[in-house]
Amino acid sequence: MPRQRIPTGIKGLDEIISGGFEEGKTYLVTGETGTGKTIFSLQFLLHGISLGENAIFLTIDENPDHLIDDAESLGWDLKKPIDEGKFLILDMNRYFSIGREIESISENIFYELRKYVEKINAKRIVVDPLVPPVLITGDSQKIRKHIKYFIAYLDQLSCTSIVTSEIPAGSNKLSRYGVEEAFVSGIIVLSLIRQDTRYVRALLVRKMRGTPLDLVYQSFTIQPRHGIVLAGPMT
Ligand SMILES: Nc1ncnc2c1ncn2[C@@H]1O[C@H](COP(=O)(O)OP(=O)(O)OP(=O)(O)O)[C@@H](O)[C@H]1O
Ligand SMILES: [Mg+2]
């Protein structure tokens, strides 16, 4: 039986992915810096909250206060759902002290995440970014293993999840480590596409298991209150 669809809340996107993400699965939102990965992720969580689905934003390198301020610049109030116990920003920075093995960091994060998912009965999770910059110079074999386990772990929780990955500028890769894309159920690529003297924001649904796709870039804007709004296929 097909799984229930979870609407992303991104205007114009749910219509082209058969109603949304599949419930309980994990999705990758990828793109170069400044392409809108964090805004996409927050929009997904806030839409969930508006539907009564509690949400967790797991961050490692972003100060939660900065996230709250950035959201406020878009007209999004994160403090209210936090105060109401519907939304949690989990800052995992403290586990990343120098010299700690990635395996023990992952274990700590999994433990905390499960605890808070149960505590607030969360239905949506974002991990932004999946691999924090502090690990990027580490052993890439171990990081790949961490990515695989993290996505498998998220798939076990009763939540629909987004993980983000930053693509190095100018590369043709889909993710930083080249393994994230294989383990997720779908991939959204956010880009800046040059048109004459300017750049246009574009979104491509690159992979979506169980969903027919038209592989065409959709242009989008970032608007106060609405966040990411798709404007249709690029010509
Ligand atoms: N209030 C706003 N109104 C319109 N556009 C905004 C607003 N706030 C941010 N933006 C745009 O969104 C872009 C950043 O989006 P976001 O932080 O989601 O990117 P990101 O892909 O997460 O970047 P990074 O990889 O650095 O974390 C900014 O560069 C800016 O152009
Ligand atoms: Mg970001």
Side-chain angles (χ1 to χ4, degrees):
M1 210 172 81
R3 285 187 181 230
Q4 197 188 331
R5 293 284 173 158
I6 300 296
T8 62
I10 309 287
K11 280 202 172 57
L13 177 61
D14 294 322
E15 294 87 322
I16 59 173
I17 56 169
S18 307
F21 293 155
E22 285 189 334
E23 186 178 27
K25 299 287 180 74
T26 303
Y27 294 85
L28 174 69
V29 175
T30 183
E32 293 178 10
T33 186
T35 48
K37 300 181 295 296
T38 300
I39 292 175
F40 185 109
S41 303
L42 273 178
Q43 196 167 337
F44 169 74
L45 296 185
L46 289 175
H47 188 64
I49 291 166
S50 77
L51 299 173
E53 299 168 11
N54 292 350
I56 292 179
F57 187 101
L58 195 152
T59 177
I60 291 145
D61 63 349
E62 181 135 42
N63 181 329
D65 288 336
H66 293 172
L67 192 69
I68 291 171
D69 291 346
D70 290 350
E72 204 174 300
S73 84
L74 275 164
W76 292 342
D77 180 5
L78 301 188
K79 286 192 193 130
K80 186 165 178 271
I82 290 172
D83 290 345
E84 291 171 347
K86 297 174 181 171
F87 183 39
L88 270 177
I89 302 173
L90 294 182
D91 180 4
M92 296 288 161
N93 198 29
R94 64 183 177 284
Y95 292 123
F96 285 86
S97 56
I98 294 164
R100 283 197 65 185
E101 285 292 326
I102 188 163
E103 289 87 349
S104 91
I105 296 173
S106 305
E107 263 176 36
N108 283 140
I109 293 179
F110 294 161
Y111 176 80
E112 291 265 305
L113 189 55
R114 182 178 289 276
K115 187 173 83 183
Y116 285 107
V117 163
E118 284 169 6
K119 185 173 177 193
I120 69 162
N121 188 25
K123 292 290 172 215
R124 298 189 185 208
I125 297 173
V126 162
V127 183
D128 179 35
L130 180 57
V131 180
V134 64
L135 277 185
I136 280 171
T137 53
D139 178 341
S140 59
Q141 273 302 103
K142 283 190 178 175
I143 294 173
R144 289 195 170 89
K145 216 167 144 191
H146 163 81
I147 290 169
K148 186 178 166 190
Y149 284 136
F150 212 128
I151 294 169
Y153 186 81
L154 287 171
D155 276 342
Q156 280 172 27
L157 298 172
S158 55
C159 296
T160 311
S161 305
I162 287 177
V163 296
T164 73
S165 180
E166 192 195 314
I167 310 175
S171 94
N172 290 323
K173 292 163 71 174
L174 274 179
S175 62
R176 186 169 279 272
Y177 289 94
V179 290
E180 296 92 315
E181 56 262 40
F183 301 120
V184 291
S185 296
I187 305 170
I188 310 271
V189 184
L190 303 180
S191 329
L192 291 166
I193 293 180
R194 184 145 180 200
Q195 283 191 341
D196 300 324
T197 55
R198 61 197 292 264
Y199 284 95
V200 178
R201 293 190 187 278
L203 178 153
L204 176 71
V205 185
R206 175 66 175 68
K207 149 175 160 178
M208 199 58 51
R209 285 187 187 144
T211 311
L213 281 185
D214 198 7
L215 289 165
V216 59
Y217 276 101
Q218 307 278 329
S219 64
F220 73 86
T221 53
I222 297 174
Q223 300 176 13
R225 301 220 158 263
H226 301 292
I228 292 174
V229 179
L230 265 55
M234 287 186 73
T235 47

